[in-house]
Amino acid sequence: MIETIVKNSQSPYYEISKEDQLILSPFAGIVKDIFIKENAYFYEWETILTIQTANGDLKEVEVPFSGSVVSLFVNTGDEISINAKLVSLQDDLLVTGCD
């Protein structure tokens, strides 16, 4: 499994691999909404969940690839720290156009 930290800059680092991508939280706070489910398909740059920070900002977590959800490690309402495990994703390795 490859660990991926989704960076605040909206240009996250990740490696193209057939291995699962472990997404780590770029923010500390409370998980407000989860928009994906296990075994479901997600799209490139789709918001997978939101985190409310201590100062009240609602931050969106997105990934720069599409694929399937392997497993979720958090639930709505969970308090998390930076680099907490959020979700494990499988890249579908399809090349798509994106700005």
Side-chain angles (χ1 to χ4, degrees):
M1 191 172 299
I2 297 173
E3 286 188 353
T4 302
I5 299 173
V6 181
K7 301 194 185 292
N8 301 344
S9 69
Q10 296 300 320
S11 59
Y13 167 81
Y14 79 103
E15 296 180 31
I16 295 176
S17 170
K18 290 185 179 184
E19 292 185 44
D20 295 347
Q21 305 285 322
L22 180 60
I23 307 302
L24 305 178
S25 178
F27 311 104
I30 297 173
V31 177
K32 291 305 279 182
D33 293 298
I34 300 174
F35 301 107
I36 56 174
K37 296 180 184 202
E38 287 187 5
N39 302 315
Y41 188 82
F42 65 92
Y43 294 94
E44 182 177 16
W45 297 116
E46 176 181 357
T47 300
I48 59 173
L49 58 87
T50 57
I51 299 169
Q52 186 170 16
T53 62
N55 65 0
D57 292 341
L58 195 60
K59 302 292 188 176
E60 296 180 344
V61 177
E62 305 165 330
V63 292
F65 59 93
S66 57
S68 299
V69 179
V70 177
S71 57
L72 292 167
F73 300 114
V74 294
N75 295 302
T76 302
D78 285 356
E79 188 169 339
I80 57 170
S81 59
I82 292 176
N83 295 333
K85 292 180 184 179
L86 298 176
V87 62
S88 177
L89 306 174
Q90 177 63 57
D91 191 332
D92 62 12
L93 301 176
L94 295 175
V95 178
T96 59
C98 179
D99 351 310

